[in-house]
Amino acid sequence: MNKYKIAVLKGDGIGPEIVNEAIKVLNKTAEKFGFEVDYDEALLGGCAIDATGVPLPEETIAKCKAADSVLLGAVGGPKWDNQPGNNRPEAGLLGIRGALGLFANLRPAVIFEPLKNASPLKAEIIGDSMDIMIVRELTGGIYFGKRGKFEEDGVPAAYDTEKYSVTEIERIGRVAFDMAMKRNKKLTSVDKANVLDSSRLWRETIIRLSKEYPEVELSHMYVDNCAMQLVRNPKQFDVIVTSNIFGDILSDEASMISGSIGMLASASLSSGKSGLYEPIHGSAPDIAGQGIANPLATILSVAMMLRYSLDEPKAAEAIEKAVSEALKTVRTPDIYTEGTKKVSTSEMGDIVVSLL
Ligand code: NAD
């Protein structure tokens, strides 16, 4: 029987509440699909500051490195807002991504059929459903490039640099092509090659790489056009691959199309099999401890973990199906509509378990 070790970072705010539900679901999936899961809890974020003085203790890094995969809730909250920048809960988040070498961020923008009305886009634009995967480069580009401040003609000025090497582009490109192969074999590479040298290198490299993936239909799009196409005709996209900064912006735009922040999962992958899986939302301090947080983004993050790190695609599919089924009748308050039953965080977890 396969046995997986999962490092669990519940974090702050609603983090522990939603992760507990995701664990319930993972346990049920393990029982049903015949594998075992071992959990190893560790501290990250505000709870780590309270216990150890720092947001990312060495012990947490060691536990995550020793695990097959990492499940994270969310970090942060007003209690730690006055910490200096490098000791804030969010610094722990950046730190763990760096320590685990997570260079690829996968963000699905999915609309479940029962939630179609939650999207700000018109029903005819969305059609029956929407399912886009955005693959964002996470450890290069302008967020990590050379930067500085200087004086220009006596006036303060500043600069940041967008830099990518062929190695970095090939690495993220492969993740995206592999992803496209597992889905509908359509990849859109997004750049600004009409203006930026780094984008021209990006495009050349992706085109060269595409020769290894003859089955994937590759297209290119400028980032400004892509921002427009995502709201004009999102159904044209299957997988999108792009740089760190463009991906940051486009993935937020795409997630808004789905209409509910409590529904969206994400994965960050390294070059090995391991990855870090988390909902895209934060620690929601405004609703923490009330038992009303939506646990589905975290539950769907577990589905991504099963698919991309643990090679249990059937278990992943079963979770996604159970979530879709649950949404037909029950809703947490953030996605509640008339005609459905309002349920708590743990009731939602129980219902997904019962549908598995
Ligand atoms: P947030 O995502 O926590 O909350 C935004 C709004 O969405 C709030 O009204 C919240 O109640 C609601 N919401 C979020 N998740 C929900 C869920 N699962 N169910 C129901 N409603 C949900 O963003 P914020 O308020 O800007 O940030 C709060 C804290 O979280 C800050 O400290 C921030 O730095 C941190 N944060 C952490 C992460 C992370 O851990 N990855 C990401 C973003 C923000």
Side-chain angles (χ1 to χ4, degrees), residues 136-148 158-165 168-169 192 196 198-199 202 223 242-249:
R136 166 189 169 195
E137 203 287 328
L138 203 58
T139 52
I142 197 162
Y143 295 165
F144 292 86
K146 231 188 209 171
R147 68 190 57 191
Y159 68 95
D160 300 272
T161 324
E162 173 85 345
K163 185 220 76 166
Y164 272 109
S165 71
E168 287 170 311
I169 302 166
K192 190 70 184 166
L196 302 175
S198 53
S199 276
W202 180 283
V223 61
T242 192
S243 65
N244 201 342
I245 186 168
F246 296 161
D248 191 4
I249 298 162

PDB file of all heavy atoms in Angstrom, residues 136-148 158-165 168-169 192 196 198-199 202 223 242-249:
ATOM      1  N   ARG A 136       2.283  29.912 -13.763  1.00  0.00           N
ATOM      2  CA  ARG A 136       3.052  31.148 -13.564  1.00  0.00           C
ATOM      3  C   ARG A 136       4.460  30.826 -13.068  1.00  0.00           C
ATOM      4  O   ARG A 136       4.606  30.037 -12.123  1.00  0.00           O
ATOM      5  CB  ARG A 136       2.315  32.001 -12.521  1.00  0.00           C
ATOM      6  CG  ARG A 136       3.114  33.138 -11.967  1.00  0.00           C
ATOM      7  CD  ARG A 136       2.370  33.782 -10.789  1.00  0.00           C
ATOM      8  NE  ARG A 136       3.223  34.718 -10.075  1.00  0.00           N
ATOM      9  CZ  ARG A 136       2.964  35.196  -8.870  1.00  0.00           C
ATOM     10  NH1 ARG A 136       1.854  34.852  -8.242  1.00  0.00           N
ATOM     11  NH2 ARG A 136       3.799  36.028  -8.292  1.00  0.00           N
ATOM     12  N   GLU A 137       5.467  31.444 -13.672  1.00  0.00           N
ATOM     13  CA  GLU A 137       6.840  31.295 -13.179  1.00  0.00           C
ATOM     14  C   GLU A 137       6.905  32.027 -11.835  1.00  0.00           C
ATOM     15  O   GLU A 137       6.389  33.119 -11.684  1.00  0.00           O
ATOM     16  CB  GLU A 137       7.806  31.917 -14.196  1.00  0.00           C
ATOM     17  CG  GLU A 137       9.218  31.385 -14.121  1.00  0.00           C
ATOM     18  CD  GLU A 137       9.992  31.870 -12.903  1.00  0.00           C
ATOM     19  OE1 GLU A 137       9.730  33.015 -12.457  1.00  0.00           O
ATOM     20  OE2 GLU A 137      10.831  31.125 -12.390  1.00  0.00           O
ATOM     21  N   LEU A 138       7.549  31.417 -10.840  1.00  0.00           N
ATOM     22  CA  LEU A 138       7.396  31.958  -9.488  1.00  0.00           C
ATOM     23  C   LEU A 138       8.690  32.457  -8.837  1.00  0.00           C
ATOM     24  O   LEU A 138       8.642  33.132  -7.804  1.00  0.00           O
ATOM     25  CB  LEU A 138       6.778  30.859  -8.602  1.00  0.00           C
ATOM     26  CG  LEU A 138       6.035  31.283  -7.352  1.00  0.00           C
ATOM     27  CD1 LEU A 138       4.890  32.219  -7.649  1.00  0.00           C
ATOM     28  CD2 LEU A 138       5.506  30.057  -6.608  1.00  0.00           C
ATOM     29  N   THR A 139       9.834  32.131  -9.404  1.00  0.00           N
ATOM     30  CA  THR A 139      11.065  32.508  -8.692  1.00  0.00           C
ATOM     31  C   THR A 139      12.009  33.373  -9.523  1.00  0.00           C
ATOM     32  O   THR A 139      13.173  33.548  -9.162  1.00  0.00           O
ATOM     33  CB  THR A 139      11.834  31.247  -8.226  1.00  0.00           C
ATOM     34  OG1 THR A 139      12.011  30.385  -9.348  1.00  0.00           O
ATOM     35  CG2 THR A 139      11.102  30.520  -7.133  1.00  0.00           C
ATOM     36  N   GLY A 140      11.531  33.887 -10.666  1.00  0.00           N
ATOM     37  CA  GLY A 140      12.395  34.737 -11.491  1.00  0.00           C
ATOM     38  C   GLY A 140      11.694  36.012 -11.885  1.00  0.00           C
ATOM     39  O   GLY A 140      10.696  36.416 -11.288  1.00  0.00           O
ATOM     40  N   GLY A 141      12.240  36.665 -12.919  1.00  0.00           N
ATOM     41  CA  GLY A 141      11.612  37.877 -13.444  1.00  0.00           C
ATOM     42  C   GLY A 141      11.795  39.091 -12.549  1.00  0.00           C
ATOM     43  O   GLY A 141      12.667  39.124 -11.673  1.00  0.00           O
ATOM     44  N   ILE A 142      10.961  40.065 -12.741  1.00  0.00           N
ATOM     45  CA  ILE A 142      11.150  41.397 -12.153  1.00  0.00           C
ATOM     46  C   ILE A 142      11.070  41.397 -10.618  1.00  0.00           C
ATOM     47  O   ILE A 142      11.664  42.244  -9.963  1.00  0.00           O
ATOM     48  CB  ILE A 142      10.136  42.387 -12.783  1.00  0.00           C
ATOM     49  CG1 ILE A 142      10.554  43.842 -12.533  1.00  0.00           C
ATOM     50  CG2 ILE A 142       8.725  42.121 -12.296  1.00  0.00           C
ATOM     51  CD1 ILE A 142       9.877  44.833 -13.460  1.00  0.00           C
ATOM     52  N   TYR A 143      10.357  40.428 -10.041  1.00  0.00           N
ATOM     53  CA  TYR A 143      10.258  40.397  -8.576  1.00  0.00           C
ATOM     54  C   TYR A 143      11.582  39.984  -7.925  1.00  0.00           C
ATOM     55  O   TYR A 143      11.780  40.160  -6.727  1.00  0.00           O
ATOM     56  CB  TYR A 143       9.147  39.442  -8.110  1.00  0.00           C
ATOM     57  CG  TYR A 143       7.742  39.876  -8.509  1.00  0.00           C
ATOM     58  CD1 TYR A 143       6.670  39.003  -8.443  1.00  0.00           C
ATOM     59  CD2 TYR A 143       7.488  41.169  -8.956  1.00  0.00           C
ATOM     60  CE1 TYR A 143       5.391  39.393  -8.806  1.00  0.00           C
ATOM     61  CE2 TYR A 143       6.209  41.568  -9.331  1.00  0.00           C
ATOM     62  CZ  TYR A 143       5.173  40.678  -9.255  1.00  0.00           C
ATOM     63  OH  TYR A 143       3.906  41.061  -9.621  1.00  0.00           O
ATOM     64  N   PHE A 144      12.458  39.390  -8.731  1.00  0.00           N
ATOM     65  CA  PHE A 144      13.741  38.949  -8.183  1.00  0.00           C
ATOM     66  C   PHE A 144      14.929  39.608  -8.890  1.00  0.00           C
ATOM     67  O   PHE A 144      16.069  39.329  -8.581  1.00  0.00           O
ATOM     68  CB  PHE A 144      13.870  37.414  -8.298  1.00  0.00           C
ATOM     69  CG  PHE A 144      12.903  36.680  -7.408  1.00  0.00           C
ATOM     70  CD1 PHE A 144      11.609  36.398  -7.832  1.00  0.00           C
ATOM     71  CD2 PHE A 144      13.273  36.299  -6.127  1.00  0.00           C
ATOM     72  CE1 PHE A 144      10.699  35.740  -7.008  1.00  0.00           C
ATOM     73  CE2 PHE A 144      12.378  35.640  -5.295  1.00  0.00           C
ATOM     74  CZ  PHE A 144      11.091  35.360  -5.740  1.00  0.00           C
ATOM     75  N   GLY A 145      14.654  40.481  -9.869  1.00  0.00           N
ATOM     76  CA  GLY A 145      15.725  41.093 -10.660  1.00  0.00           C
ATOM     77  C   GLY A 145      16.421  42.222  -9.915  1.00  0.00           C
ATOM     78  O   GLY A 145      16.010  42.630  -8.829  1.00  0.00           O
ATOM     79  N   LYS A 146      17.456  42.726 -10.560  1.00  0.00           N
ATOM     80  CA  LYS A 146      18.222  43.836  -9.983  1.00  0.00           C
ATOM     81  C   LYS A 146      17.319  45.047  -9.817  1.00  0.00           C
ATOM     82  O   LYS A 146      16.505  45.347 -10.703  1.00  0.00           O
ATOM     83  CB  LYS A 146      19.333  44.205 -10.977  1.00  0.00           C
ATOM     84  CG  LYS A 146      20.685  44.279 -10.364  1.00  0.00           C
ATOM     85  CD  LYS A 146      21.650  44.838 -11.365  1.00  0.00           C
ATOM     86  CE  LYS A 146      23.024  44.295 -11.082  1.00  0.00           C
ATOM     87  NZ  LYS A 146      23.964  44.628 -12.132  1.00  0.00           N
ATOM     88  N   ARG A 147      17.454  45.736  -8.691  1.00  0.00           N
ATOM     89  CA  ARG A 147      16.609  46.910  -8.470  1.00  0.00           C
ATOM     90  C   ARG A 147      17.411  47.977  -7.765  1.00  0.00           C
ATOM     91  O   ARG A 147      18.470  47.707  -7.188  1.00  0.00           O
ATOM     92  CB  ARG A 147      15.396  46.536  -7.630  1.00  0.00           C
ATOM     93  CG  ARG A 147      15.755  46.156  -6.190  1.00  0.00           C
ATOM     94  CD  ARG A 147      14.593  45.569  -5.473  1.00  0.00           C
ATOM     95  NE  ARG A 147      14.094  44.408  -6.208  1.00  0.00           N
ATOM     96  CZ  ARG A 147      12.948  43.782  -5.947  1.00  0.00           C
ATOM     97  NH1 ARG A 147      12.183  44.224  -4.987  1.00  0.00           N
ATOM     98  NH2 ARG A 147      12.582  42.730  -6.631  1.00  0.00           N
ATOM     99  N   GLY A 148      16.949  49.192  -7.808  1.00  0.00           N
ATOM    100  CA  GLY A 148      17.671  50.226  -7.087  1.00  0.00           C
ATOM    101  C   GLY A 148      16.989  51.574  -7.160  1.00  0.00           C
ATOM    102  O   GLY A 148      16.018  51.766  -7.895  1.00  0.00           O
ATOM    103  N   ALA A 158      13.782  55.266  -9.552  1.00  0.00           N
ATOM    104  CA  ALA A 158      13.972  53.875  -9.126  1.00  0.00           C
ATOM    105  C   ALA A 158      13.796  52.951 -10.312  1.00  0.00           C
ATOM    106  O   ALA A 158      13.151  53.334 -11.297  1.00  0.00           O
ATOM    107  CB  ALA A 158      12.962  53.520  -8.031  1.00  0.00           C
ATOM    108  N   TYR A 159      14.387  51.753 -10.240  1.00  0.00           N
ATOM    109  CA  TYR A 159      14.218  50.797 -11.336  1.00  0.00           C
ATOM    110  C   TYR A 159      14.152  49.372 -10.808  1.00  0.00           C
ATOM    111  O   TYR A 159      14.639  49.068  -9.723  1.00  0.00           O
ATOM    112  CB  TYR A 159      15.376  50.917 -12.356  1.00  0.00           C
ATOM    113  CG  TYR A 159      16.710  50.469 -11.790  1.00  0.00           C
ATOM    114  CD1 TYR A 159      17.171  49.159 -11.985  1.00  0.00           C
ATOM    115  CD2 TYR A 159      17.501  51.337 -11.056  1.00  0.00           C
ATOM    116  CE1 TYR A 159      18.367  48.743 -11.447  1.00  0.00           C
ATOM    117  CE2 TYR A 159      18.702  50.928 -10.507  1.00  0.00           C
ATOM    118  CZ  TYR A 159      19.132  49.627 -10.711  1.00  0.00           C
ATOM    119  OH  TYR A 159      20.308  49.221 -10.168  1.00  0.00           O
ATOM    120  N   ASP A 160      13.485  48.511 -11.578  1.00  0.00           N
ATOM    121  CA  ASP A 160      13.454  47.071 -11.337  1.00  0.00           C
ATOM    122  C   ASP A 160      13.742  46.404 -12.683  1.00  0.00           C
ATOM    123  O   ASP A 160      13.438  46.987 -13.724  1.00  0.00           O
ATOM    124  CB  ASP A 160      12.067  46.640 -10.840  1.00  0.00           C
ATOM    125  CG  ASP A 160      11.690  47.330  -9.542  1.00  0.00           C
ATOM    126  OD1 ASP A 160      12.032  46.814  -8.481  1.00  0.00           O
ATOM    127  OD2 ASP A 160      11.057  48.413  -9.603  1.00  0.00           O
ATOM    128  N   THR A 161      14.296  45.213 -12.649  1.00  0.00           N
ATOM    129  CA  THR A 161      14.714  44.595 -13.908  1.00  0.00           C
ATOM    130  C   THR A 161      14.021  43.263 -14.146  1.00  0.00           C
ATOM    131  O   THR A 161      13.996  42.403 -13.264  1.00  0.00           O
ATOM    132  CB  THR A 161      16.234  44.294 -13.878  1.00  0.00           C
ATOM    133  OG1 THR A 161      16.871  45.333 -13.173  1.00  0.00           O
ATOM    134  CG2 THR A 161      16.809  44.176 -15.259  1.00  0.00           C
ATOM    135  N   GLU A 162      13.469  43.124 -15.353  1.00  0.00           N
ATOM    136  CA  GLU A 162      12.881  41.841 -15.751  1.00  0.00           C
ATOM    137  C   GLU A 162      13.976  41.033 -16.449  1.00  0.00           C
ATOM    138  O   GLU A 162      14.494  41.448 -17.490  1.00  0.00           O
ATOM    139  CB  GLU A 162      11.717  42.098 -16.720  1.00  0.00           C
ATOM    140  CG  GLU A 162      11.114  40.866 -17.361  1.00  0.00           C
ATOM    141  CD  GLU A 162      10.047  40.179 -16.521  1.00  0.00           C
ATOM    142  OE1 GLU A 162       9.946  40.482 -15.313  1.00  0.00           O
ATOM    143  OE2 GLU A 162       9.324  39.347 -17.073  1.00  0.00           O
ATOM    144  N   LYS A 163      14.362  39.907 -15.850  1.00  0.00           N
ATOM    145  CA  LYS A 163      15.407  39.081 -16.466  1.00  0.00           C
ATOM    146  C   LYS A 163      14.991  37.623 -16.433  1.00  0.00           C
ATOM    147  O   LYS A 163      14.511  37.151 -15.402  1.00  0.00           O
ATOM    148  CB  LYS A 163      16.732  39.265 -15.705  1.00  0.00           C
ATOM    149  CG  LYS A 163      17.908  38.558 -16.332  1.00  0.00           C
ATOM    150  CD  LYS A 163      18.839  37.913 -15.297  1.00  0.00           C
ATOM    151  CE  LYS A 163      18.241  36.652 -14.754  1.00  0.00           C
ATOM    152  NZ  LYS A 163      19.094  35.775 -14.010  1.00  0.00           N
ATOM    153  N   TYR A 164      15.126  36.943 -17.561  1.00  0.00           N
ATOM    154  CA  TYR A 164      14.905  35.502 -17.591  1.00  0.00           C
ATOM    155  C   TYR A 164      16.013  34.823 -18.370  1.00  0.00           C
ATOM    156  O   TYR A 164      16.448  35.340 -19.399  1.00  0.00           O
ATOM    157  CB  TYR A 164      13.548  35.154 -18.233  1.00  0.00           C
ATOM    158  CG  TYR A 164      12.430  35.135 -17.223  1.00  0.00           C
ATOM    159  CD1 TYR A 164      11.458  36.123 -17.206  1.00  0.00           C
ATOM    160  CD2 TYR A 164      12.369  34.143 -16.266  1.00  0.00           C
ATOM    161  CE1 TYR A 164      10.444  36.121 -16.254  1.00  0.00           C
ATOM    162  CE2 TYR A 164      11.363  34.122 -15.304  1.00  0.00           C
ATOM    163  CZ  TYR A 164      10.416  35.112 -15.303  1.00  0.00           C
ATOM    164  OH  TYR A 164       9.433  35.089 -14.349  1.00  0.00           O
ATOM    165  N   SER A 165      16.467  33.673 -17.914  1.00  0.00           N
ATOM    166  CA  SER A 165      17.444  32.902 -18.677  1.00  0.00           C
ATOM    167  C   SER A 165      16.691  31.800 -19.427  1.00  0.00           C
ATOM    168  O   SER A 165      15.564  31.433 -19.056  1.00  0.00           O
ATOM    169  CB  SER A 165      18.467  32.269 -17.737  1.00  0.00           C
ATOM    170  OG  SER A 165      17.859  31.223 -17.007  1.00  0.00           O
ATOM    171  N   GLU A 168      15.589  29.043 -17.139  1.00  0.00           N
ATOM    172  CA  GLU A 168      14.367  29.313 -16.354  1.00  0.00           C
ATOM    173  C   GLU A 168      13.113  29.177 -17.225  1.00  0.00           C
ATOM    174  O   GLU A 168      12.082  28.662 -16.775  1.00  0.00           O
ATOM    175  CB  GLU A 168      14.415  30.737 -15.774  1.00  0.00           C
ATOM    176  CG  GLU A 168      15.395  30.921 -14.629  1.00  0.00           C
ATOM    177  CD  GLU A 168      15.559  32.397 -14.270  1.00  0.00           C
ATOM    178  OE1 GLU A 168      15.774  33.238 -15.172  1.00  0.00           O
ATOM    179  OE2 GLU A 168      15.476  32.712 -13.077  1.00  0.00           O
ATOM    180  N   ILE A 169      13.210  29.661 -18.461  1.00  0.00           N
ATOM    181  CA  ILE A 169      12.036  29.612 -19.352  1.00  0.00           C
ATOM    182  C   ILE A 169      11.736  28.165 -19.744  1.00  0.00           C
ATOM    183  O   ILE A 169      10.577  27.738 -19.750  1.00  0.00           O
ATOM    184  CB  ILE A 169      12.255  30.487 -20.615  1.00  0.00           C
ATOM    185  CG1 ILE A 169      12.555  31.937 -20.211  1.00  0.00           C
ATOM    186  CG2 ILE A 169      11.026  30.441 -21.523  1.00  0.00           C
ATOM    187  CD1 ILE A 169      13.112  32.811 -21.324  1.00  0.00           C
ATOM    188  N   LYS A 192       5.216  39.904 -23.760  1.00  0.00           N
ATOM    189  CA  LYS A 192       5.098  41.257 -24.315  1.00  0.00           C
ATOM    190  C   LYS A 192       6.252  41.401 -25.310  1.00  0.00           C
ATOM    191  O   LYS A 192       7.094  42.296 -25.215  1.00  0.00           O
ATOM    192  CB  LYS A 192       5.178  42.275 -23.158  1.00  0.00           C
ATOM    193  CG  LYS A 192       4.845  43.688 -23.532  1.00  0.00           C
ATOM    194  CD  LYS A 192       3.381  43.917 -23.847  1.00  0.00           C
ATOM    195  CE  LYS A 192       3.165  45.352 -24.309  1.00  0.00           C
ATOM    196  NZ  LYS A 192       1.853  45.572 -24.933  1.00  0.00           N
ATOM    197  N   LEU A 196       9.507  43.899 -25.163  1.00  0.00           N
ATOM    198  CA  LEU A 196      10.569  43.508 -24.227  1.00  0.00           C
ATOM    199  C   LEU A 196      11.503  42.439 -24.795  1.00  0.00           C
ATOM    200  O   LEU A 196      11.036  41.424 -25.329  1.00  0.00           O
ATOM    201  CB  LEU A 196       9.935  42.958 -22.935  1.00  0.00           C
ATOM    202  CG  LEU A 196       8.994  43.884 -22.177  1.00  0.00           C
ATOM    203  CD1 LEU A 196       8.369  43.135 -20.990  1.00  0.00           C
ATOM    204  CD2 LEU A 196       9.730  45.118 -21.679  1.00  0.00           C
ATOM    205  N   SER A 198      13.316  40.456 -22.955  1.00  0.00           N
ATOM    206  CA  SER A 198      13.135  39.249 -22.141  1.00  0.00           C
ATOM    207  C   SER A 198      11.947  38.446 -22.669  1.00  0.00           C
ATOM    208  O   SER A 198      11.953  37.211 -22.649  1.00  0.00           O
ATOM    209  CB  SER A 198      12.932  39.615 -20.674  1.00  0.00           C
ATOM    210  OG  SER A 198      11.890  40.555 -20.551  1.00  0.00           O
ATOM    211  N   SER A 199      10.925  39.114 -23.169  1.00  0.00           N
ATOM    212  CA  SER A 199       9.761  38.429 -23.731  1.00  0.00           C
ATOM    213  C   SER A 199      10.098  37.778 -25.069  1.00  0.00           C
ATOM    214  O   SER A 199       9.565  36.713 -25.395  1.00  0.00           O
ATOM    215  CB  SER A 199       8.603  39.408 -23.942  1.00  0.00           C
ATOM    216  OG  SER A 199       7.860  39.577 -22.762  1.00  0.00           O
ATOM    217  N   TRP A 202      11.765  34.694 -24.227  1.00  0.00           N
ATOM    218  CA  TRP A 202      10.706  33.804 -23.721  1.00  0.00           C
ATOM    219  C   TRP A 202      10.013  33.109 -24.889  1.00  0.00           C
ATOM    220  O   TRP A 202       9.888  31.887 -24.933  1.00  0.00           O
ATOM    221  CB  TRP A 202       9.712  34.641 -22.900  1.00  0.00           C
ATOM    222  CG  TRP A 202       8.572  33.862 -22.320  1.00  0.00           C
ATOM    223  CD1 TRP A 202       7.459  33.423 -22.993  1.00  0.00           C
ATOM    224  CD2 TRP A 202       8.428  33.406 -20.964  1.00  0.00           C
ATOM    225  NE1 TRP A 202       6.629  32.741 -22.137  1.00  0.00           N
ATOM    226  CE2 TRP A 202       7.193  32.725 -20.888  1.00  0.00           C
ATOM    227  CE3 TRP A 202       9.209  33.531 -19.811  1.00  0.00           C
ATOM    228  CZ2 TRP A 202       6.732  32.153 -19.696  1.00  0.00           C
ATOM    229  CZ3 TRP A 202       8.743  32.963 -18.622  1.00  0.00           C
ATOM    230  CH2 TRP A 202       7.523  32.273 -18.576  1.00  0.00           C
ATOM    231  N   VAL A 223       0.371  40.191 -23.368  1.00  0.00           N
ATOM    232  CA  VAL A 223      -0.301  40.189 -22.062  1.00  0.00           C
ATOM    233  C   VAL A 223      -1.504  41.130 -22.021  1.00  0.00           C
ATOM    234  O   VAL A 223      -2.526  40.811 -21.402  1.00  0.00           O
ATOM    235  CB  VAL A 223       0.710  40.496 -20.928  1.00  0.00           C
ATOM    236  CG1 VAL A 223       1.356  41.860 -21.074  1.00  0.00           C
ATOM    237  CG2 VAL A 223       0.059  40.357 -19.560  1.00  0.00           C
ATOM    238  N   THR A 242       3.086  31.852 -18.340  1.00  0.00           N
ATOM    239  CA  THR A 242       3.598  33.213 -18.390  1.00  0.00           C
ATOM    240  C   THR A 242       4.583  33.503 -17.262  1.00  0.00           C
ATOM    241  O   THR A 242       4.806  32.684 -16.381  1.00  0.00           O
ATOM    242  CB  THR A 242       2.411  34.221 -18.431  1.00  0.00           C
ATOM    243  OG1 THR A 242       2.896  35.511 -18.766  1.00  0.00           O
ATOM    244  CG2 THR A 242       1.679  34.273 -17.094  1.00  0.00           C
ATOM    245  N   SER A 243       5.157  34.694 -17.320  1.00  0.00           N
ATOM    246  CA  SER A 243       6.197  35.095 -16.367  1.00  0.00           C
ATOM    247  C   SER A 243       5.595  35.399 -14.992  1.00  0.00           C
ATOM    248  O   SER A 243       4.372  35.438 -14.829  1.00  0.00           O
ATOM    249  CB  SER A 243       6.900  36.342 -16.895  1.00  0.00           C
ATOM    250  OG  SER A 243       5.958  37.399 -16.924  1.00  0.00           O
ATOM    251  N   ASN A 244       6.451  35.673 -14.060  1.00  0.00           N
ATOM    252  CA  ASN A 244       6.042  35.915 -12.686  1.00  0.00           C
ATOM    253  C   ASN A 244       5.051  37.084 -12.572  1.00  0.00           C
ATOM    254  O   ASN A 244       3.943  36.941 -12.054  1.00  0.00           O
ATOM    255  CB  ASN A 244       7.312  36.198 -11.867  1.00  0.00           C
ATOM    256  CG  ASN A 244       7.119  35.959 -10.385  1.00  0.00           C
ATOM    257  OD1 ASN A 244       5.985  35.897  -9.911  1.00  0.00           O
ATOM    258  ND2 ASN A 244       8.204  35.820  -9.653  1.00  0.00           N
ATOM    259  N   ILE A 245       5.435  38.247 -13.091  1.00  0.00           N
ATOM    260  CA  ILE A 245       4.586  39.441 -12.903  1.00  0.00           C
ATOM    261  C   ILE A 245       3.307  39.345 -13.733  1.00  0.00           C
ATOM    262  O   ILE A 245       2.207  39.649 -13.232  1.00  0.00           O
ATOM    263  CB  ILE A 245       5.362  40.754 -13.204  1.00  0.00           C
ATOM    264  CG1 ILE A 245       4.497  41.967 -12.857  1.00  0.00           C
ATOM    265  CG2 ILE A 245       5.851  40.828 -14.643  1.00  0.00           C
ATOM    266  CD1 ILE A 245       5.254  43.291 -12.837  1.00  0.00           C
ATOM    267  N   PHE A 246       3.410  38.875 -14.985  1.00  0.00           N
ATOM    268  CA  PHE A 246       2.188  38.768 -15.798  1.00  0.00           C
ATOM    269  C   PHE A 246       1.252  37.726 -15.172  1.00  0.00           C
ATOM    270  O   PHE A 246       0.038  37.893 -15.142  1.00  0.00           O
ATOM    271  CB  PHE A 246       2.523  38.374 -17.244  1.00  0.00           C
ATOM    272  CG  PHE A 246       3.335  39.397 -18.002  1.00  0.00           C
ATOM    273  CD1 PHE A 246       4.039  39.033 -19.150  1.00  0.00           C
ATOM    274  CD2 PHE A 246       3.394  40.722 -17.588  1.00  0.00           C
ATOM    275  CE1 PHE A 246       4.785  39.961 -19.856  1.00  0.00           C
ATOM    276  CE2 PHE A 246       4.139  41.662 -18.289  1.00  0.00           C
ATOM    277  CZ  PHE A 246       4.847  41.275 -19.426  1.00  0.00           C
ATOM    278  N   GLY A 247       1.832  36.643 -14.669  1.00  0.00           N
ATOM    279  CA  GLY A 247       1.027  35.579 -14.068  1.00  0.00           C
ATOM    280  C   GLY A 247       0.355  36.032 -12.785  1.00  0.00           C
ATOM    281  O   GLY A 247      -0.768  35.626 -12.475  1.00  0.00           O
ATOM    282  N   ASP A 248       1.041  36.868 -12.043  1.00  0.00           N
ATOM    283  CA  ASP A 248       0.481  37.414 -10.798  1.00  0.00           C
ATOM    284  C   ASP A 248      -0.835  38.129 -11.109  1.00  0.00           C
ATOM    285  O   ASP A 248      -1.866  37.911 -10.462  1.00  0.00           O
ATOM    286  CB  ASP A 248       1.518  38.396 -10.216  1.00  0.00           C
ATOM    287  CG  ASP A 248       1.177  38.830  -8.804  1.00  0.00           C
ATOM    288  OD1 ASP A 248       0.183  38.314  -8.252  1.00  0.00           O
ATOM    289  OD2 ASP A 248       1.882  39.688  -8.265  1.00  0.00           O
ATOM    290  N   ILE A 249      -0.783  38.969 -12.129  1.00  0.00           N
ATOM    291  CA  ILE A 249      -1.945  39.793 -12.463  1.00  0.00           C
ATOM    292  C   ILE A 249      -3.034  38.964 -13.151  1.00  0.00           C
ATOM    293  O   ILE A 249      -4.203  38.998 -12.763  1.00  0.00           O
ATOM    294  CB  ILE A 249      -1.493  40.971 -13.364  1.00  0.00           C
ATOM    295  CG1 ILE A 249      -0.493  41.848 -12.592  1.00  0.00           C
ATOM    296  CG2 ILE A 249      -2.695  41.788 -13.829  1.00  0.00           C
ATOM    297  CD1 ILE A 249       0.349  42.759 -13.451  1.00  0.00           C
TER     298      ILE A 249
END
